[in-house]
């Protein structure tokens, strides 16, 4: 059985897409980011939690503050990318559940009253949404450079609050010269899929 998705779209989203390490200076507009979010917001999360929050780092001052918290190898590309997004998990996502999960509005208190339960669920579901976000960036014809090499607590204190947990920093833009490292190997089907 073949996939329904056009092969060119498969290449754009998966086979030819890679983590970008350099970018051109072409700006990423608010309209592009809106279009990305407007697509990826439909990706499923458990109980429609939708805990992902996106902080766009646009001003030179904010960029400088962020670069200080990046690992040394990530600093130059974060400083140069046209747009940088901090993706975080909102640990108070349950406040939106009466709106987002209307057929069980009691979920806010019945399932997510305890902070540790919320934190675990927010981390899992926001990470899932972060993957959708990266695919959305690719669908917009842009390249994404997701990174976890940074001071998480420093970024949280600098840009977020105690109710938000940073997950990753994503550089976004058109790929520049020598943007790609060689493709790394992948596991074979038999190494991943088990039938019971």
């Amino acid at each position: 059985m073949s996939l329904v998705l056009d092969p060119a779209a498969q290449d754009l989203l998966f086979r030819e897409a890679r983590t970008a390490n350099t970018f051109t200076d072409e700006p990423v507009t608010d309209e592009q980011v809106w279009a990305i979010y407007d697509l990826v917001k439909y990706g499923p999360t458990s109980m429609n939690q939708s805990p992902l929050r996106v902080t766009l780092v646009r001003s030179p001052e904010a960029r400088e503050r962020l670069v200080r918290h990046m690992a040394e190898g990530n600093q130059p590309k974060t400083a140069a990318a046209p747009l940088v997004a901090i993706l975080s998990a909102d640990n108070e996502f349950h406040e939106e559940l009466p709106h987002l999960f209307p057929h069980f509005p009691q979920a806010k208190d019945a399932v997510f009253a305890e902070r540790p339960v919320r934190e675990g669920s927010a981390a899992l579901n926001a990470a899932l949404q972060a993957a959708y976000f990266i695919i959305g960036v690719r669908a917009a014809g842009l390249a994404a450079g997701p990174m976890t090499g940074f001071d998480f607590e420093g970024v949280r204190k600098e840009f977020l609050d105690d109710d938000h947990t940073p997950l990753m920093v994503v550089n976004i833009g058109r790929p520049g010269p020598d943007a790609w490292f060689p493709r790394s190997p992948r596991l074979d089907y038999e190494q991943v899929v088990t039938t019971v």
Side-chain angles (χ1 to χ4, degrees):
M1 178 176 155
S2 62
L3 299 173
V4 174
L5 189 65
D6 177 79
Q10 295 174 36
D11 288 343
L12 176 71
L13 299 178
F14 295 99
R15 284 191 286 265
E16 297 299 324
R18 312 240 200 94
T19 295
N21 293 290
T22 68
F23 298 89
T24 70
D25 58 3
E26 182 180 333
V28 177
T29 67
D30 288 337
E31 292 77 17
Q32 286 172 301
V33 177
W34 186 92
I36 290 164
Y37 176 71
D38 200 46
L39 174 66
V40 303
K41 69 183 180 185
Y42 294 108
T45 56
S46 175
M47 298 176 76
N48 201 31
Q49 291 172 26
S50 306
L52 181 71
R53 301 296 179 262
V54 180
T55 303
L56 299 178
V57 181
R58 285 207 179 272
S59 74
E61 298 80 19
R63 183 74 62 102
E64 187 176 313
R65 288 168 32 224
L66 176 60
V67 167
R68 285 196 304 260
H69 296 289
M70 301 303 295
E72 186 177 344
N74 291 333
Q75 289 179 353
K77 54 190 170 185
T78 302
L83 179 63
V84 182
I86 301 168
L87 305 188
S88 64
D90 181 357
N91 296 308
E92 297 298 312
F93 69 87
H94 69 308
E95 296 295 343
E96 303 293 339
L97 282 181
H99 168 69
L100 292 172
F101 206 58
H103 53 285
F104 183 29
Q106 313 89 297
K108 173 182 178 285
D109 298 313
V111 180
F112 297 109
E114 303 284 330
R115 174 73 179 232
V117 173
R118 292 197 306 274
E119 288 178 351
S121 196
L124 175 65
N125 285 281
L128 181 61
Q129 287 187 284
Y132 300 145
F133 183 83
I134 292 166
I135 297 297
V137 168
R138 294 172 176 178
L142 300 170
M147 302 166 290
T148 55
F150 61 91
D151 176 358
F152 280 69
E153 186 59 17
V155 167
R156 188 192 64 73
K157 286 181 177 177
E158 191 82 45
F159 293 96
L160 306 170
D161 59 31
D162 289 339
D163 290 330
H164 293 80
T165 303
L167 300 172
M168 65 182 68
V169 172
V170 183
N171 294 328
I172 304 169
R174 301 250 181 234
D178 300 317
W180 322 114
F181 294 144
R183 170 72 76 193
S184 296
R186 297 297 190 266
L187 296 175
D188 293 328
Y189 179 89
E190 295 79 13
Q191 296 172 281
V192 175
V193 178
T194 304
T195 303
V196 294

